[in-house]
Structures are given as structure tokens and as C-alpha cells.
């Protein structure tokens, strides 16, 4: 079945079964490999993208539900990869193996978009993605550094 | 082609050494000479390429699985080359173990990123080679300018003759290099003194990090090659299980599924898209044989068997430590402390599900592989055996590992061999990606362990005997028979932490190896987290019985260990140690150093839930090549260690793993992550192991904090609520 979706500001038509999760459309059809498969059951968050600005776990989000929605992946978060969260991630040297970090960055960016000055409490409650390397304290530090930037209003 | 030469090396710690026969990994298919440089469009040595433009490319031998070696190894080389880091790019070396083999003796010369050895293992080798290339470049300039080499100095990426104010960039010198040359001899006293370091000890940003923030970092799962098909794998639940029958009808009916392949111990679904393969996997119904080994394994019963074995003092195991007269110490003891400790299987849970891309060509005579692996030497050997081809016919593209933690060290390299076998079968390129469920069910776990620790006191209250017995499956026998047989079949990897470093006149540590029949592999710290959980819990139990401050008590028994004492004193200083109760300490030795951990423990007495809001760690890493990275690795290790201590366990019933994904195998999330303070000491000036350190002492410190808070002991890892409630009853 054909589905029209808007990914990183580009209209895309894909021909896949309607129950295909958005994750696999992004990876297998559109070759957007930054969004990762970690569990397939919405537990780990490695597949997090934005759907109409909201963080969404794409591994359980069927393409039929994405019809017409604006989808942003890690590749489209910033045209030059310099979104405040990406810059903070580099500044704080957050990633270790890095596999979960696309999802982490997308989750953090969505959080900051809705709540520009999250407390540590907010961050701990909102970010439920798994990082097996245990970069959590660096993630908190990076998000807080973005939140404290004067321009972030 | 291999001509093994027998020599010996020493392994062990705490003053205990074993002589192990070692076969050098010499083989004739070397691609590089470690001593030769060539010049064809730039200076080329095994480790470095210097372009006439001045661009410098430095290779890293180690895998990059998040520990930062892809940057740290080139930093060490660049330091002695005296390169301007801005000129340097980094890349993976090819898998030539003659040049890039790990110098740590226990790797047997293999390319093996394990045991936290990427920096300490290669440190001298990288410095020497970097300095030799620098010296060679100096020689080129000396010849060009007709001046004595002694009159030349270097500044980053340039050679300077101060008397004549002439300079030559490294690029210019590389352009003038001989077509072939031998690197000049260098004595270690020609290396920089640490005060001259410009890169080592500074925080050089990791080169892999930017690509890990924009989605462009490439892991095996991201690899696409022309004409490639996708595959999921279902592996037999047990090591020796085989396919008996497959009902594949429903899988084949799925749009996009091409074929279902049975290969002895695996069933693979081949499809045009990964999602179709995943759906196909879920639709399969497979009958497996139930082999004798592991076929009826029930882990909870087996754990009790292990504990009973450890308890039965009439049996003896492989002696890892044996000093003084242990029988006499216990016969003469005025008091004996003895406790049993249990630890369950745990799973690596690397975030990238295992997989690889392989393309077998020329009727099986050639293969190209794209994968992340900690053990390229094992991989080449396994593929060479599987396909019956020379290693030179294998082309390996090393990619980032989306987490390793030991899972990618196994000799069989199962997840990569899957792709090779399927590509041969289908005669086309295949990308294998294990589903998370397959990754859990065919996981190779940290072995469960049953342990007994006994301590003898004389009438003065002094400790006179220490006896630690561990009953467990050998990690090495199954995961790495190549090394196991060459280590004289002693399961050394299971032994770390059984040999006490405390000064006690009589001490015995022994491993009672048991044929459990589970799939096992090294996991970050191998046996240390569980063995030290037992040893450090016992040390704490004795201290508490004697009403001595647990840090003081440890220090009394560390007379020959200034590093151990200094990390204990450091952790006491940075933590609110005097504000107990609710704090526990542990001390662990690894890779030539010590780590002291203090954990703050809270317990909900109604639910049995333990929480650990704060952890303090002091460690002496000798020399921190990348200090910020050291801190981050240690903090990450603490989180993983806490996850293992509190929530993670794999259980096996009737031969099958009961868990399947993160809903029934939860791991630590951000909400569980403690506030972690790390104190780094650098006493020796020589780098120690770091990568595994952070997690090693967490379980012991948490158990001891629990005892400090509740006056009860918890002796079964992980400390699940029901076990906490049991301990409180």
C-alpha cells in the first residue's frame, strides 16, 4: 500500500504494508540509518523520532498512523547538525558506543522544545531511553547546559 | 604456515603467579612489516600515513565500542610522533595480528580488545613506533640540510634547525622520504618525558563522537551493499541443540519473505526488508533437539547445586591461590566466619542487536565482511575454518560496535559467522541482524556462581585464614577454547577476585569448575563483579562482627598495598563516610590497580526496593591518557554495575532462556542512575586498565551499605525486592 509521509521536510511516498512500523520505513525504504532498532517493542527508545514535534518510538508506530504527519529524524534535526542538543552532546562528549544516542538526542530535543528549562527531576522522569554504556549523568549535564543557555527561551 | 614457539608468561595478581605455556601467533601472511616504511605518494608505516600535504592518518588496533580507543591509541602515537593533532585523522587498522596484535601476553598476540587493555596494552608499542617515525623524519631533514640529526628539534608536525632558522613540515619530509627504508633503532630513553606531553593527559575530543550525534556513525546494522538481502536468525536454545523440524508455511506467506534456511543450529528467515524477516521469525514454529548438555538446565536448581559444591569442603578445585597452611589455620581458629553467596546469569544487552554483513564470492573462495568485533583474530580463524580458505582471502571492514562488553570477544564470533554461512548458502550478500529476542535467547551470559568464603580468626582476633571457593561454569572453556587450551586448561578468567589481596597468613582460593551447559562469555570485568561481591561482603561481615570501621579494617590488612590504601583513603575523603549508617564500601583489584567504591543505600522496607542515590569512586589509573574519558567510562561502569547488582538476571528453565526483551530483562534507566563522584589518582605514571573498572565494586559496596543500614546481609545477586524482603525478615 502506498503511503505519503513528510520526512525531514520532504514528501515521500512509500509502498509498504500498512502495519509496517515507521522505523523500518525510515531505515529500509528511505535509507535513513541514524534511527536505530534496539528492541522493537517500545522499551529502549533507540528508534525515537519526532512526529509532529512529539517524541515517538518509531518501532511500534505504524506507517498508516504517520500518513501526512511531519516526521523528523536525527538526520533532519538540524540541517547542519548543530542543533543545541547536538552541540551539547559534543561539548560534553556524551556518546560512548553511541548506538542509543540518536534516540536520546531526539528525546532530549523534544523535551527541551516543550520545556526549555527542565529540572533534573523533569529530565529523569521524561527520558526513559536505555543507554547501556551508562552515559546518563553526561546526558543530564548536557541537557542542563542547553537549558541554561541564555538564548534558550 | 604457523610455527609456534613455546615460551612462558606470568599471569595472576596479588603476588600469585602462574606459568602458562604461550604459543606465539607468528604466521607468514603478514601484510606489514612493523619496522619498514615506504614512500609512494606519502610516507607509509604500519601505523601511520603521512601525506606530502601534511595530512597524517593514524591507525588504531582496538575495536571502538564506546571506550574511546579509536582516539586514545592514535593520541599516544601522535604524542611521540610530535604531530599536530589538527593534522591527524584516525582509522581502524586492518586485522594483521603480527603488527597490530595486543601486546598483553594473555591475548597470545591476538587482535583482541578485552580486559581493558587497549591503552595499557599498546601504550609502549605505540609510543615506540611513533617516536621511531619521528626519528626517521628527522633523519630525512638532516640529510636534506646536511646537518647532524642531534641539532634538530620538532614542534608539532614540523622539524626545526634552530641555528639556521630552517623548518620543514612533516609533509615535506614525507615527500622526501626514501622509497623503502627501515625505521631507526630507538632506545626507550629517547621517548618524551611525561612533562613534555602535549596530548597525553589532556582531554582530546573523541573523533567518533560527532558522527554519533548526527546519525552518520556506521554500525554493522547500517551497512548496505548491492544485491543484499536481510536475515533474522533463530538459534537453538541450547549450545548443542539442532533443528529437528520447522513449520515455515506462515513465514513464507509474509510479503517480502524470500526463503527460510535451516543450517543445523540456526533457522534463518531471508527477506527483502528487515521488517519482513522479523515478521517471518515471529511466524516460525521450530522443533529443536534436546541435547544432553544444557537440554534440561534449570538455573535456579543449578545455582543451588553450585552452592552445595562450593560448600562441600571434601572436594577441591583448581588452586588459584594457596599460601600458608590453610588447614592448620582453620583447625587452630578461635572463631570462624563463613557465608554463602549466589549470583545469577546476566546478559550483555549491548544496544546494537548482534549482526554483520557478509558477501561470499568466487564459489566460497573469497569473502568480504562488515562487522564490529572485539576479536578480529578469532574472526579470521573462524571464517577461514568455516570456508576452508586462507585468511588472506578474507576482507574485513571494521565498523563501530554498538556496545561490546565482551560479547564480541568469543572465539566462534557466532553473529558474524551467521552472515558468512548464509551468504555462502545463498550465494549473495546477506545482512544478518538478530532480533532483540534472538539476542537475549542466544545470549552468552556472565556465568552464575555459587560461592563460599570462610575466614579464620585466632584468639587475639587477628585474621589467620582466608578461604574462597567458587563453583561456576568456566567462561573461557566455552567462549574461547583457543585461549583455554593454551592456558593449560585452567579457567583463569573465572578466577579473578578469588585470590585475595589482603595480607592474611594463610589463604586459599579455588575454582570448582562445573559443566552447567549454559552459553557464557566474558562480560565487562568477567568474574570480578561476582567474586568480589562475595569476598568484599565477607570482609565487611567480619569487620562488622568485630565492630571495626570497614575502611579501617581493610587498611589493617593491606600493609603491602600502598595503592589500595590510597584509594580507600581517597574514597573516605570524597564520600560522607562518617555520616553512616547507609553507606557501604568495597575494594577491588584489576589490571594492576585498585578501585574503592562507596555506595549510599536506601531501602523501602515495605516493597523491598533498594535505591542507590549516590556513589563515590576512587581509583588509581597510573596515568590518565584521556582524563575526561576515564571519568566517563568509570561513571558508565558504575551504572552497569548497579544495574547488575539490583535488577538484572537471566533465568533458564528446561534448557531455554526465560527472558526475551527489555520488558522482562530490565536494565538501569536514567531514573536509576546515581550521582557519581570520581576521584582519579595517577601514581605510577603508567596507564592501568580502565574500561571495566567502574562496575567492579558496586555490588559489594551496595551489599555492605545494606548491611550498614539494616544489620542484615544480602548475599544473592541481584538484590531483587523479594530477596531484600527475605533478608529483612
Amino acid at each position: 500500500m502506498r503511503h505519503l509521509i513528510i520526512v525531514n521536510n520532504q514528501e515521500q511516498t512509500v509502498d509498504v504494508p500498512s502495519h509496517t512500523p515507521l522505523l523500518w520505513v525510515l531505515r529500509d525504504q528511505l535509507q535513513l540509518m541514524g534511527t536505530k532498532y534496539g528492541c522493537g517493542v517500545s522499551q529502549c527508545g533507540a528508534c525515537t523520532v519526532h512526529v509532529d514535534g512529539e517524541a515517538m518510538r518509531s518501532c511500534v508506530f505504524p506507517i498508516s498512523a504517520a500518513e501526512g504527519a511531519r516526521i523528523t529524524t536525527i538526520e533532519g534535526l538540524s540541517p547542519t547538525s548543530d542543533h543545541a542538543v547536538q552541540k551539547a552532546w559534543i561539548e560534553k562528549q556524551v556518546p560512548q558506543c553511541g548506538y542509543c544516542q540518536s534516540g536520546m538526542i531526539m528525546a532530549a530535543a523534544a523535551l527541551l522544545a516543550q520545556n526549555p528549562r527542565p529540572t533534573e527531576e523533569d529530565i529523569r522522569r521524561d527520558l526513559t531511553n536505555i543507554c547501556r554504556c551508562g552515559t546518563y549523568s553526561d546526558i543530564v549535564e548536557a541537557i542542563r547546559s542547553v537549558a541554561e543557555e541564555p538564548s534558550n527561551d | 604456515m604457523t610455527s609456534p614457539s613455546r615460551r612462558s608468561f606470568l599471569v595472576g595478581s596479588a603476588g600469585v603467579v602462574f606459568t602458562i605455556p604461550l604459543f606465539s601467533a607468528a604466521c607468514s601472511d603478514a601484510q606489514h612489516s612493523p619496522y619498514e616504511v615506504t614512500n609512494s605518494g606519502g610516507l607509509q608505516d604500519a601505523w601511520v600515513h603521512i601525506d606530502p600535504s601534511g595530512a597524517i592518518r593514524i591507525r588504531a588496533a582496538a575495536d571502538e565500542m564506546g571506550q574511546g580507543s579509536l582516539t586514545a591509541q592514535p593520541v599516544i602515537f601522535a604524542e611521540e610522533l610530535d604531530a599536530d593533532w589538527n593534522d591527524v585523522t584516525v582509522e581502524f587498522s586492518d586485522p594483521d595480528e603480527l603488527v597490530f596484535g595486543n601486546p598483553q601476553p594473555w591475548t597470545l598476540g591476538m587482535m583482541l580488545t578485552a580486559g581493558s587493555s587497549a591503552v595499557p596494552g599498546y601504550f609502549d608499542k605505540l609510543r615506540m613506533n611513533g617516536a621511531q617515525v619521528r626519528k626517521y623524519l628527522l633523519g630525512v631533514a638532516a640529510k636534506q640540510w646536511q646537518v647532524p640529526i642531534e641539532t634538530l628539534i620538532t614542534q608539532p608536525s614540523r622539524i626545526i634547525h634552530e641555528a639556521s632558522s630552517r623548518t620543514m613540515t612533516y609533509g615535506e619530509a614525507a615527500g622526501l622520504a626514501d622509497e623503502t627504508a627501515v625505521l631507526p633503532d630507538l632506545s626507550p630513553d629517547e621517548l618524551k618525558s611525561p612533562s613534555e606531553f602535549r596530548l597525553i593527559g589532556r582531554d582530546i575530543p573523541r573523533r567518533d563522537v560527532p558522527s554519533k550525534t548526527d546519525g552518520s556513525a556506521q554500525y554493522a546494522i547500517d551497512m548496505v551493499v548491492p544485491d543484499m538481502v536481510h536475515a533474522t536468525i533463530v538459534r537453538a536454545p541450547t549450545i548443542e541443540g539442532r533443528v529437528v523440524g520447522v513449520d515455515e508455511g506462515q513465514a513464507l506467506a509474509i510479503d517480502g519473505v524470500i526463503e527460510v534456511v535451516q543450517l543445523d543450529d540456526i533457522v534463518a528467515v531471508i527477506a527483502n526488508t528487515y521488517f519482513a524477516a522479523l515478521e517471518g521469525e515471529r511466524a516460525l514454529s521450530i522443533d529443536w533437539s534436546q541435547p544432553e548438555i544444557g537440554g534440561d538446565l534449570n538455573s535456579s536448581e543449578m545455582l543451588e547445586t553450585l552452592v552445595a559444591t562450593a560448600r562441600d569442603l571434601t572436594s577441591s578445585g583448581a588452586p588459584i591461590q594457596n599460601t600458608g597452611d590453610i588447614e592448620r589455620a582453620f583447625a587452630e581458629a578461635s572463631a570462624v566466619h563463613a557465608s554463602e553467596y549466589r549470583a545469577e546469569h546476566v546478559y550483555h544487552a549491548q544496544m546494537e542487536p548482534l549482526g554483520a554483513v557478509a558477501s561470499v564470492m568466487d564459489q566460497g573462495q573469497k569473502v568480504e565482511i562488515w562487522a564490529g568485533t572485539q576479536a578480529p583474530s578469532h574472526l579470521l580463524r573462524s571464517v577461514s575454518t568455516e570456508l576452508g580458505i586462507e585468511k588472506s582471502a578474507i576482507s574485513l571492514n571494521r565498523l563501530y560496535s554498538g556496545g561490546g562488553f565482551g560479547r564480541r570477544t568469543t572465539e566462534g564470533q557466532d553473529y558474524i559467522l551467521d552472515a558468512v554461512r548464509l551468504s555462502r548458502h545463498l550465494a549473495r550478500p546477506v545482512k544478518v541482524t538478530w532480533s532483540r529476542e534472538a539476542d537475549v535467547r542466544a545470549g552468552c551470559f556472565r556465568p552464575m556462581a555459587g560461592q563460599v568464603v570462610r575466614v579464620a580468626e585466632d584468639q587475639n582476633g587477628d585474621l589467620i585464614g582466608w578461604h574462597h571457593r567458587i563453583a561456576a561454569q568456566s567462561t573461557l572453556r566455552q567462549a574461547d577454547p583457543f585461549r583455554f587450551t593454551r592456558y593449560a586448561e585452567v579457567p583463569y578468567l573465572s578466577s579473578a577476585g578469588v585470590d585475595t589481596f589482603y595480607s592474611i597468613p594463610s589463604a586459599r582460593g579455588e575454582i570448582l569448575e562445573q559443566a552447567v551447559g549454559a552459553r557464557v562469555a566474558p562480560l565487562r570485568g568477567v568474574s570480578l563483579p561476582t567474586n568480589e561481591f562475595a569476598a568484599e561482603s565477607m570482609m565487611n561481615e567480619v569487620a562488622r562482627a568485630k565492630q571495626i570501621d570497614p575502611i579501617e579494617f581493610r587498611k589493617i590488612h593491606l600493609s603491602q598495598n600502598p595503592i589500595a590504601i590510597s584509594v580507600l583513603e581517597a574514597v573516605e575523603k570524597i564520600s560522607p563516610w562518617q555520616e553512616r549508617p547507609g553507606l557501604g564500601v568495597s575494594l577491588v583489584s584489576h589490571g594492576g590497580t585498585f578501585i574503592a567504591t562507596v555506595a549510599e543505600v536506601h531501602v523501602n522496607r515495605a516493597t523491598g526496593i533498594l535505591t542507590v542515590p549516590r556513589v563515590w569512586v576512587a581509583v588509581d589509573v597510573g596515568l590518565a591518557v584521556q582524563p575526561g574519558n576515564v571519568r566517563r567510562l568509570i561513571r558508565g561502569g558504575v551504572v552497569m554495575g548497579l544495574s547488575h547488582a539490583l535488577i538484572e538476571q537471566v533465568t533458564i528453565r528446561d534448557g531455554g532462556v526465560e527472558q526475551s526483551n527489555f520488558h522482562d530483562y530490565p536494565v538501569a534507566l536514567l531514573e536509576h542512575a546515581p550521582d557519581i563522584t570520581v576521584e582519579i589518582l595517577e601514581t605510577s605514571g603508567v596507564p592501568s586498565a580502565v574500561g571495566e573498572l567502574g562496575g567492579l565494586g558496586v555490588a559489594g559496596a551496595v551489599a555492605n551499605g545494606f548491611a550498614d543500614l539494616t544489620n542484615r546481609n544480602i548475599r544473592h545477586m541481584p538484590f531483587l525486592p523479594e530477596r531484600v524482603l527475605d533478608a529483612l525478615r
Side-chain angles (χ1 to χ4, degrees):
Chain A
M1 232 194 114
R2 296 173 80 78
H3 299 273
L4 176 75
I5 52 175
I6 306 158
V7 180
N8 300 334
N9 291 322
Q10 287 194 332
E11 284 193 5
Q12 303 274 4
T13 305
V14 293
D15 189 5
V16 295
S18 299
H19 68 291
T20 305
L22 175 59
L23 169 67
W24 299 112
V25 172
L26 296 173
R27 291 184 57 85
D28 286 349
Q29 311 295 319
L30 305 179
Q31 311 285 311
L32 291 168
M33 296 299 193
T35 306
K36 301 302 191 206
Y37 164 62
C39 68
V41 293
S42 191
Q43 289 285 312
C44 78
C47 64
T48 305
V49 298
H50 296 172
V51 176
D52 291 330
E54 301 250 351
M56 187 66 71
R57 295 193 170 174
S58 64
C59 72
V60 292
F61 192 74
I63 189 67
S64 54
E67 192 90 42
R70 302 190 72 84
I71 295 150
T72 308
T73 70
I74 186 73
E75 292 89 349
L77 183 60
S78 148
T80 44
S81 303
D82 60 354
H83 185 280
V85 173
Q86 290 171 310
K87 287 199 291 192
W89 247 241
I90 293 172
E91 168 66 25
K92 301 292 180 191
Q93 296 277 292
V94 172
Q96 289 186 24
C97 93
Y99 192 78
C100 73
Q101 299 293 351
S102 296
M104 282 288 185
I105 289 168
M106 296 308 283
L111 166 66
L112 284 162
Q114 283 163 9
N115 177 4
R117 305 224 181 274
T119 62
E120 181 158 345
E121 232 9 76
D122 296 336
I123 298 168
R124 282 174 175 268
R125 196 183 42 239
D126 200 79
L127 252 69
T128 56
N129 295 20
I130 296 173
C131 172
R132 185 53 157 172
C133 301
T135 64
Y136 297 125
S137 50
D138 301 292
I139 287 169
V140 172
E141 215 182 296
I143 294 174
R144 290 185 65 90
S145 77
V146 176
E148 282 157 15
E149 276 171 24
S151 62
N152 181 49
D153 282 311
Chain B
M1 67 188 209
T2 304
S3 72
S5 70
R6 208 177 245 278
R7 32 193 181 114
S8 292
F9 72 97
L10 301 175
V11 66
S13 63
V16 188
V17 290
F18 299 92
T19 304
I20 295 175
L22 169 69
F23 295 89
S24 83
C27 70
S28 59
D29 53 358
Q31 292 156 37
H32 303 284
S33 156
Y35 307 112
E36 212 175 69
V37 286
T38 57
N39 182 12
S40 55
L43 184 75
Q44 180 73 62
D45 139 272
W47 292 90
V48 68
H49 180 271
I50 304 176
D51 192 79
S53 71
I56 299 173
R57 226 162 53 229
I58 303 178
R59 292 170 164 161
D63 182 29
E64 179 56 73
M65 49 186 162
Q67 83 282 31
S69 304
L70 181 63
T71 304
Q73 289 191 336
V75 159
I76 297 164
F77 189 98
E79 179 70 71
E80 291 292 346
L81 176 62
D82 212 20
D84 183 337
W85 186 248
N86 294 320
D87 296 337
V88 174
T89 54
V90 301
E91 62 185 24
F92 288 118
S93 76
D94 45 36
D96 178 356
E97 66 185 9
L98 258 197
V99 178
F100 302 109
N102 190 329
Q104 293 281 26
W106 50 262
T107 68
L108 309 175
M110 286 192 284
M111 285 185 74
L112 179 66
T113 307
S116 311
S117 62
V119 164
Y122 286 90
F123 189 66
D124 291 343
K125 190 172 184 167
L126 289 164
R127 289 185 72 193
M128 286 297 285
N129 201 288
Q132 280 179 298
V133 174
R134 174 183 172 273
K135 191 172 178 180
Y136 176 74
L137 293 172
L138 285 177
V140 170
K143 191 170 152 200
Q144 180 73 10
W145 291 334
Q146 297 293 305
V147 297
I149 192 168
E150 299 76 31
T151 62
L152 300 178
I153 59 163
T154 55
Q155 280 180 2
S157 287
R158 57 184 60 233
I159 302 158
I160 295 165
H161 185 243
E162 282 182 312
S164 63
S165 302
R166 279 179 289 189
T167 69
M168 183 185 289
T169 66
Y170 280 9
E172 289 162 354
L176 296 169
D178 299 317
E179 219 163 278
T180 62
V182 173
L183 285 178
D185 285 341
L186 191 94
S187 82
D189 58 16
E190 292 177 71
L191 296 173
K192 287 185 179 179
S193 75
S195 65
E196 296 173 282
F197 287 162
R198 293 183 297 101
L199 302 174
I200 290 174
R202 280 185 41 214
D203 278 319
I204 310 286
R206 277 173 47 184
R207 287 293 170 84
D208 55 327
V209 160
S211 71
K212 291 176 175 177
T213 65
D214 63 12
S216 65
Q218 202 154 45
Y219 306 85
I221 200 171
D222 305 321
M223 201 56 222
V224 176
V225 305
D227 196 34
M228 177 187 95
V229 287
H230 296 265
T232 50
I233 301 289
V234 182
R235 182 158 246 98
T238 52
I239 304 166
E240 298 198 341
R242 295 292 177 264
V243 183
V244 176
V246 181
D247 180 352
E248 58 188 30
Q250 285 186 43
L252 289 173
I254 290 164
D255 195 21
V257 170
I258 301 169
E259 189 179 345
V260 173
V261 177
Q262 299 177 35
L263 293 177
D264 219 16
D265 59 330
I266 57 174
V267 176
V269 179
I270 313 299
N272 290 322
T273 67
Y274 186 69
F275 182 60
L278 206 52
E279 286 198 295
E281 176 184 324
R282 288 178 192 140
L284 286 177
S285 172
I286 310 169
D287 278 337
W288 301 100
S289 68
Q290 201 188 26
E292 212 167 294
I293 296 173
D296 58 357
L297 174 61
N298 284 306
S299 59
S300 58
E301 288 164 21
M302 178 56 82
L303 184 53
E304 293 315 307
T305 304
L306 296 178
V307 174
T309 305
R311 191 190 298 136
D312 173 16
L313 299 178
T314 62
S315 67
S316 56
I320 300 303
Q321 179 180 39
N322 203 2
T323 56
D325 185 339
I326 194 82
E327 274 82 14
R328 192 168 152 198
F330 280 90
E332 292 178 354
S334 308
V336 171
H337 309 260
S339 292
E340 298 169 358
Y341 302 91
R342 290 162 173 79
E344 305 280 348
H345 286 116
V346 296
Y347 162 57
H348 294 80
Q350 78 296 331
M351 288 308 295
E352 181 191 14
L354 293 172
V357 178
S359 176
V360 174
M361 297 163 281
D362 299 353
Q363 283 80 46
Q365 293 310 298
K366 228 173 92 181
V367 61
E368 182 163 8
I369 296 167
W370 294 263
T373 174
Q374 295 176 250
S377 292
H378 277 332
L379 177 64
L380 295 196
R381 188 165 30 251
S382 289
V383 174
S384 155
T385 305
E386 177 68 29
L387 296 180
I389 58 175
E390 293 293 317
K391 291 178 190 172
S392 56
I394 305 165
S395 155
L396 171 63
N397 304 280
R398 298 168 61 197
L399 303 173
Y400 293 133
S401 292
F405 313 119
R407 181 60 181 86
R408 299 171 193 266
T409 61
T410 59
E411 183 178 335
Q413 298 278 290
D414 46 5
Y415 61 103
I416 306 177
L417 258 285
D418 286 346
V420 171
R421 292 163 73 192
L422 286 168
S423 176
R424 175 179 55 187
H425 182 85
L426 299 166
R428 67 190 291 189
V430 178
K431 171 152 74 178
V432 166
T433 306
W434 291 14
S435 66
R436 178 58 66 185
E437 289 78 10
D439 199 289
V440 174
R441 291 186 181 130
C444 296
F445 309 117
R446 180 172 78 197
M448 57 184 180
Q451 301 181 67
V452 169
V453 188
R454 305 161 67 223
V455 177
E457 263 183 51
D458 67 10
Q459 67 271 27
N460 302 322
D462 291 333
L463 302 195
I464 54 170
W466 178 275
H467 190 191
H468 189 164
R469 290 162 57 86
I470 167 173
Q473 182 171 1
S474 162
T475 315
L476 206 58
R477 181 190 289 278
Q478 192 201 100
D480 197 336
F482 182 84
R483 282 198 289 156
F484 183 74
T485 51
R486 287 161 181 80
Y487 285 3
E489 308 220 335
V490 178
Y492 287 105
L493 281 187
S494 312
S495 68
V498 175
D499 46 345
T500 187
F501 45 76
Y502 292 113
S503 314
I504 298 170
S506 297
R508 180 178 293 168
E510 49 191 318
I511 314 175
L512 299 115
E513 189 192 337
Q514 301 291 297
V516 171
R519 287 194 175 96
V520 295
L523 194 167
R524 207 172 187 181
V526 199
S527 64
L528 274 166
T530 48
N531 296 1
E532 289 288 14
F533 155 62
E536 284 299 282
S537 290
M538 175 48 84
M539 203 61 187
N540 213 65
E541 290 179 32
V542 178
R544 287 176 51 77
K546 299 165 78 68
Q547 297 186 310
I548 304 176
D549 176 323
I551 288 184
E552 277 315 302
F553 185 66
R554 283 170 172 78
K555 283 164 67 180
I556 293 166
H557 297 93
L558 286 167
S559 56
Q560 292 153 26
N561 258 313
I563 290 179
I565 290 172
S566 66
V567 296
L568 277 174
E569 289 178 346
V571 87
E572 182 173 1
K573 204 187 247 171
I574 61 170
S575 69
W577 182 248
Q578 299 309 329
E579 293 169 25
R580 280 167 293 142
L583 299 179
V585 68
S586 75
L587 178 68
V588 176
S589 168
H590 174 60
T593 191
F594 284 86
I595 182 164
T597 307
V598 167
E600 177 182 341
V601 178
H602 294 204
V603 60
N604 181 324
R605 288 169 190 266
T607 62
I609 293 174
L610 285 188
T611 46
V612 177
R614 291 188 291 175
V615 171
W616 300 264
V617 160
V619 59
D620 190 334
V621 300
L623 170 68
V625 171
Q626 296 266 265
N629 196 50
V630 167
R631 284 170 196 282
R632 284 185 287 272
L633 281 176
I634 287 175
R635 286 199 294 262
V638 167
V639 172
M640 188 185 271
L642 189 60
S643 194
H644 287 160
L646 295 185
I647 52 181
E648 294 184 39
Q649 69 172 4
V650 169
T651 53
I652 298 170
R653 180 176 290 273
D654 300 328
V657 171
E658 292 190 290
Q659 291 72 25
S660 64
N661 207 319
F662 292 118
H663 66 284
D664 54 9
Y665 189 89
V667 302
L669 300 174
L670 183 50
E671 62 173 319
H672 304 107
D675 184 49
I676 305 163
T677 306
V678 181
E679 175 82 1
I680 292 180
L681 310 177
E682 299 180 79
T683 303
S684 71
V686 179
S688 77
V690 169
E692 294 159 288
L693 278 176
L696 303 182
V698 176
V702 171
N704 297 340
F706 179 78
D708 190 50
L709 187 68
T710 65
N711 291 316
R712 302 300 179 90
N713 290 293
I714 187 155
R715 303 192 181 100
H716 190 159
M717 283 177 70
F719 313 141
L720 298 176
E722 60 264 29
R723 290 180 191 142
V724 170
L725 292 175
D726 271 350
L728 289 172
R729 244 168 237 134

